[in-house]
């Protein structure tokens, strides 16, 4: 086998490997339990839990978070720079994006 063919095959394999790794990284499925719940618990459930949940919105379950996200309420409020939720300041962009991505892939539990 010629040296040029060996270089070509090696380059193809390396390129394919990087392509596969990139696809795997980009397509990591977000889930409520692993990705969304920790964000909601960290920023929202101090006020939005229990019998006296603020605005009557309890965000302590998958179903309630899914419902609020489907209605647009959750995404609108966490992305509203003028009146953000939580009131203490807007959630970091990366964490808001996780919730948005989760909503775009049909809310896996």
């Amino acid at each position: 086998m010629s040296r040029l063919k060996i270089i070509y095959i090696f380059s193809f394999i390396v390129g394919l490997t990087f392509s596969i790794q990139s696809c795997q990284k980009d397509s990591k499925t977000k889930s409520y339990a692993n990705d969304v719940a920790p964000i909601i618990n960290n920023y929202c459930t101090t006020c939005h839990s229990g019998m006296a949940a603020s605005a009557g919105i309890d965000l302590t379950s998958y179903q309630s978070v899914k419902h609020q996200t489907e209605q647009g309420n959750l995404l609108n409020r966490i992305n509203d720079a003028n009146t953000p939720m939580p009131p203490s300041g807007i959630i970091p962009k990366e964490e808001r994006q996780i919730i948005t991505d989760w909503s775009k892939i049909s809310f896996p539990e």
Side-chain angles (χ1 to χ4, degrees), residues 24-67:
Q24 288 173 339
K25 181 180 178 185
D26 292 341
S27 66
K28 179 186 178 284
T29 301
K30 304 287 186 253
S31 73
Y32 175 77
N34 293 329
D35 303 291
V36 176
I39 297 168
I40 298 298
N41 290 335
N42 189 38
Y43 294 100
C44 308
T45 57
T46 300
C47 298
H48 293 285
S49 64
M51 297 285 290
S54 181
I57 299 170
D58 185 331
L59 296 175
T60 58
S61 73
Y62 165 80
Q63 285 300 329
S64 63
V65 174
K66 179 183 176 195
H67 175 73

Side-chain angles (χ1 to χ4, degrees), residues 71-108:
Q71 299 302 312
N73 300 334
L74 183 67
L75 293 176
N76 289 338
R77 291 309 306 250
I78 66 171
N79 287 297
D80 185 343
N82 295 320
T83 56
M85 278 292 149
S88 59
I90 199 160
I91 296 171
K93 182 178 180 178
E94 297 79 20
E95 292 177 294
R96 289 182 285 131
Q97 188 62 51
I98 288 170
I99 299 170
T100 300
D101 292 346
W102 173 70
S103 73
K104 289 179 180 178
I105 57 172
S106 302
F107 311 99

